[in-house]
């Protein structure tokens, strides 16, 4: 097995929304905001090469939305999914599986593109199976008013219409060997049945944290995003998982941290706190 991190680009979101009830005087120490109170965030994927299987975990927001839509998110930087794949000598058509942690637009928008004459939408990975889970899929296609702006039908329905949609089976809060040998931790605080993959890699455990832990700045328990539908549940899910991460020395892959790709955590007198942070290569020697 070989794992590659890919940056799909950077965007900005309101700092207050990203840290909920935590005052700016505290969260700005780790995530400084610009003059509009916006903080910069990454959109990362991992690509897992394992024999004939090439699995992409999440795929950014893509490039098919309108200029007005993208204007809300201040896209910046030169990174993109296609550029990242090209640098690794891969192409979209090589992808066999796309594992979507959840269906918010910044995690799944890149799954769908326009056809050549821009008359209809189609999967951007024509040879891939797309993986969600039944509970989250139903939640996304009949969205509540709070999440409706994040569940865009043009990102979601073409997956099913193509016949490429598959479901990971959920059995409790964690399902072992749920997908290609991965364990999957299911978290319901941010959105219903978000999937957090846990991967055995080079004698260590790598966890793709998605929106359970967007950045190192979110490690203290009260630092919960305003976007989360059930913030108190997120708090308890974070506590459970971060204690486990400290106990088992898990390596946490951060999808949205603009600076750090990975981190580890440790127990302290103040609770679980950051231990080390850096690049994927820092932790796996690649």
């Amino acid at each position: 097995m070989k794992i590659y991190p890919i940056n799909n680009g950077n965007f900005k979101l309101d700092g207050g929304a990203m840290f909920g009830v935590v005052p700016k005087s505290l969260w700005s120490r780790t995530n400084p905001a610009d003059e509009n109170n916006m903080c910069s965030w990454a959109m990362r994927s991992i690509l897992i090469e394992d024999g004939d299987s090439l699995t992409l975990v999440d795929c950014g927001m893509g490039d098919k939305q309108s200029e007005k839509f993208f204007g809300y998110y201040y896209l910046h930087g030169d990174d993109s999914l296609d550029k990242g794949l090209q640098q690794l000598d891969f192409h979209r058509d090589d992808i066999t599986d796309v594992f979507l942690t959840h269906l918010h637009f910044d995690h799944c928008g890149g799954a769908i593109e326009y056809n050549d004459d821009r008359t209809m939408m189609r999967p951007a990975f024509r040879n891939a199976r797309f993986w969600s889970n039944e509970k989250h899929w139903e939640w996304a296609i009949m969205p509540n008013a709070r999440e409706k702006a994040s569940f865009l039908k043009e990102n979601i329905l073409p997956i099913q219409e193509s016949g490429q949609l598959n479901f990971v089976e959920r059995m409790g809060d964690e399902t072992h060997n749920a997908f290609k040998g991965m364990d999957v931790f299911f978290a319901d605080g941010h959105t219903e049945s978000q999937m957090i993959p846990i991967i055995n890699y080079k004698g260590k455990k790598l966890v793709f944290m998605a929106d359970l832990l967007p950045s190192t700045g979110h490690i203290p328990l009260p630092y919960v995003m305003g976007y989360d539908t059930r913030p108190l549940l997120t708090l308890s899910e974070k506590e459970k998982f971060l204690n486990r991460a400290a106990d088992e020395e898990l390596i946490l892959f951060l999808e949205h941290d603009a600076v750090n790709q990975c981190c580890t955590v440790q127990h302290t007198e103040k609770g679980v706190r950051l231990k080390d942070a850096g690049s994927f290569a820092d932790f796996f020697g690649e």
Side-chain angles (χ1 to χ4, degrees):
M1 178 188 290
K2 179 77 171 177
I3 296 180
Y4 312 91
I6 297 176
N7 193 342
N8 302 313
N10 294 76
F11 68 132
K12 291 186 177 184
L13 292 171
D14 183 87
M18 285 298 288
F19 289 98
V21 300
V22 177
K24 182 179 180 180
S25 59
L26 296 179
W27 60 251
S28 61
R29 296 174 185 175
T30 56
N31 295 80
D34 65 16
E35 64 276 8
N36 295 315
N37 209 50
M38 307 290 278
C39 300
S40 184
W41 307 95
M43 291 179 287
R44 290 195 185 92
S45 301
I46 56 173
L47 186 66
I48 307 168
E49 183 182 17
D50 191 8
D52 295 330
S53 175
L54 194 62
T55 300
L56 184 68
V57 179
D58 282 356
C59 51
M61 68 172 69
D63 59 6
K64 68 181 178 299
Q65 306 301 139
S66 67
E67 184 177 345
K68 179 180 179 181
F69 177 90
F70 288 127
Y72 296 132
Y73 301 104
Y74 303 89
L75 300 183
H76 56 283
D78 298 324
D79 292 320
S80 71
L81 176 57
D82 284 328
K83 183 181 290 186
L85 290 173
Q86 184 178 20
Q87 290 171 346
L88 297 169
D89 292 325
F90 292 118
H91 185 271
R92 292 186 189 194
D93 292 351
D94 299 323
I95 305 298
T96 62
D97 298 272
V98 178
F99 182 98
L100 299 169
T101 60
H102 60 298
L103 295 167
H104 287 167
F105 69 88
D106 56 315
H107 296 257
C108 77
I112 301 298
E113 64 181 3
Y114 276 108
N115 63 0
D116 294 338
D117 59 8
R118 297 182 66 84
T119 57
M120 61 182 297
M121 302 286 186
R122 66 186 182 192
F125 308 94
R126 62 182 181 177
N127 298 319
R129 293 168 293 181
F130 292 82
W131 295 89
S132 182
N133 66 80
E134 194 167 1
K135 281 189 175 182
H136 183 66
W137 183 265
E138 293 299 322
W139 184 270
I141 63 174
M142 295 182 289
N144 58 76
R146 183 179 176 89
E147 289 183 278
K148 191 173 182 178
S150 293
F151 289 131
L152 306 180
K153 61 182 180 181
E154 62 267 31
N155 288 338
I156 300 171
L157 296 182
I159 300 175
Q160 186 176 49
E161 292 163 358
S162 72
Q164 294 169 249
L165 176 65
N166 295 266
F167 290 139
V168 174
E169 185 177 1
R170 176 173 182 172
M171 295 178 287
D173 289 341
E174 185 168 332
T175 300
H176 299 283
N177 294 316
F179 174 79
K180 292 184 175 290
M182 297 180 191
D183 294 342
V184 174
F185 179 81
F186 290 87
D188 300 309
H190 178 60
T191 188
E192 176 69 28
S193 294
Q194 178 183 201
M195 299 192 293
I196 308 297
I198 305 168
I199 307 158
N200 289 313
Y201 186 55
K202 293 193 170 184
K204 304 174 184 179
K205 285 188 176 181
L206 176 70
V207 186
F208 188 94
M209 293 304 295
D211 281 343
L212 180 59
L213 188 75
S215 74
T216 58
H218 289 86
I219 291 173
L221 292 182
Y223 288 55
V224 172
M225 291 190 291
Y227 299 111
D228 287 19
T229 60
R230 307 174 181 118
L232 291 179
L233 181 54
T234 294
L235 194 149
S236 64
E237 289 170 340
K238 274 179 60 180
E239 182 175 27
K240 175 182 178 180
F241 204 88
L242 288 177
N243 275 297
R244 174 182 174 182
D247 290 341
E248 299 181 18
E249 299 182 339
L250 304 179
I251 298 173
L252 310 180
F253 186 89
L254 304 168
E255 186 164 9
H256 288 313
D257 193 303
V259 177
N260 303 296
Q261 292 179 326
C262 296
C263 74
T264 54
V265 294
Q266 61 187 339
H267 294 290
T268 75
E269 293 180 355
K270 294 183 178 181
V272 175
R273 290 292 186 270
L274 179 67
K275 182 179 181 182
D276 295 306
S279 69
F280 185 86
D282 290 336
F283 289 90
F284 290 99
E286 300 177 359

